[in-house]
Amino acid sequence: MKYFFLSFLAVALLVVGIFGFRGDKFSQPPIEVFPDMDDQDKIRAQKPSGFFADGMGSRKPIVGTIPNSGDNGVLPVEFSEGRDGYYFTGELDGTYGNGMPEELSLKEESDSVALLGRGKDMYGVHCAICHGDTGDGKGVVGHYFAKANVVVASIHNFPQSSHPDGYIYHVIGNGKGNMGGYKHNLPVRDRWAIVAYLRTLQAAAK
Ligand code: HEC
């Protein structure tokens, strides 16, 4: 028993020697055996931060940020809300039209190439997960949809004759059946870019 007390005392002295008493002030940072999350990079509300070049912790919305809704609950004009005309609705004289709208101002060949490039990118971001890279409807998500007996359409089956460009544009914005709409994610110009790219996928599948 004597040895127990002696060794206990020795250990206690050692611990106090290394770690000090609770509440002691140190000039060096304390030894942290279990640091948990004591130190972490973070920004405190309304406080400066050395992380950003301008030294401000609070940030302004980055350029191109889309408001959830404007003052009147209407999306900005690039998103077509409440606008008329083929460019915004895909409709010509009450039916869906074919062809790329003037507003895209495709004058040079390079304009069309740029639009197709954009369409390819946006298709890859928003559509390929379900419709597949080639548009055959065999994207990764389709695999899981199949378990619920939902069939993802192959976009090769939608020729201009039965499914005009304006209609495809409309489906991208508003969705159809089990497909949700993308009008809050894709500005009008990007929707048309996808329509154009979708036509090239169809041509490639022939
Ligand atoms: C979450 C999966 C999913 C995503 C993402 C998706 N779709 Fe679809 N899409 C579907 C399904 C499912 C259908 C079949 C809808 C139905 O008829 O019920 C469909 C149908 C379609 C149709 C056929 C409409 C018709 O008349 O039958 C087109 C065109 C289409 N999608 C284009 C797109 C484009 C372009 C994108 C990207 C902006 C996209 N889809 C993104 C699941 C998706």
Side-chain angles (χ1 to χ4, degrees), residues 123 126-127 129-131 141 145 150-153 155 158 163 167-168 171-172 176-179 182 186 194 198:
Y123 181 89
H126 295 282
C127 322
I129 40 161
C130 288
H131 290 283
V141 171
F145 274 18
V150 173
V151 178
V152 178
I155 54 173
F158 304 111
H163 296 71
Y167 171 73
I168 305 278
V171 170
I172 294 174
K176 188 200 169 211
N178 288 307
M179 175 187 153
Y182 285 78
L186 288 164
I194 293 177
L198 199 142

Side-chain angles (χ1 to χ4, degrees), residues 43-61:
I43 289 171
R44 291 182 189 274
Q46 308 288 337
K47 293 277 185 261
S49 160
F51 185 77
F52 298 105
D54 62 5
M56 292 197 329
S58 308
R59 311 306 301 163
K60 292 187 176 158

Side-chain angles (χ1 to χ4, degrees), residues 65-77 79 81 184:
T65 303
I66 301 155
N68 205 352
S69 68
D71 292 343
N72 45 9
V74 170
L75 284 170
V77 59
F79 289 82
E81 205 85 339
H184 296 95

Side-chain angles (χ1 to χ4, degrees), residues 1-200:
M1 205 55 181
K2 194 170 116 195
Y3 291 110
F4 171 77
F5 280 119
L6 278 178
S7 45
F8 183 81
L9 202 69
V11 170
L13 282 174
L14 206 67
V15 169
V16 172
I18 295 175
F19 295 108
F21 291 110
R22 195 180 160 82
D24 271 0
K25 293 216 158 53
F26 299 88
S27 53
Q28 298 289 315
I31 300 167
E32 285 180 291
V33 183
F34 300 109
D36 296 325
M37 293 177 72
D38 288 352
D39 292 304
Q40 44 183 295
D41 293 327
K42 60 171 173 267
I43 289 171
R44 291 182 189 274
Q46 308 288 337
K47 293 277 185 261
S49 160
F51 185 77
F52 298 105
D54 62 5
M56 292 197 329
S58 308
R59 311 306 301 163
K60 292 187 176 158
I62 55 169
V63 178
T65 303
I66 301 155
N68 205 352
S69 68
D71 292 343
N72 45 9
V74 170
L75 284 170
V77 59
E78 310 89 272
F79 289 82
S80 84
E81 205 85 339
R83 302 280 162 150
D84 292 330
Y86 181 53
Y87 180 60
F88 291 112
T89 62
E91 286 177 45
L92 278 175
D93 303 328
T95 55
Y96 292 112
N98 266 315
M100 290 288 117
E102 278 171 21
E103 284 85 344
L104 296 171
S105 43
L106 304 174
K107 297 195 186 76
E108 313 284 325
E109 197 187 317
S110 59
D111 298 334
S112 307
V113 172
L115 188 81
L116 279 177
R118 178 72 183 166
K120 181 171 193 247
D121 286 352
M122 290 296 102
Y123 181 89
V125 171
H126 295 282
C127 322
I129 40 161
C130 288
H131 290 283
D133 286 333
T134 62
D136 57 5
K138 300 206 172 93
V140 256
V141 171
H143 174 72
Y144 297 98
F145 274 18
K147 295 187 177 156
N149 288 326
V150 173
V151 178
V152 178
S154 158
I155 54 173
H156 300 157
N157 304 332
F158 304 111
Q160 272 184 320
S161 50
S162 57
H163 296 71
D165 297 341
Y167 171 73
I168 305 278
Y169 167 86
H170 172 86
V171 170
I172 294 174
N174 300 283
K176 188 200 169 211
N178 288 307
M179 175 187 153
Y182 285 78
K183 70 174 162 199
H184 296 95
N185 310 51
L186 288 164
V188 173
R189 199 183 160 85
D190 287 349
R191 288 177 226 166
W192 284 110
I194 293 177
V195 173
Y197 182 65
L198 199 142
R199 294 299 182 209
T200 65

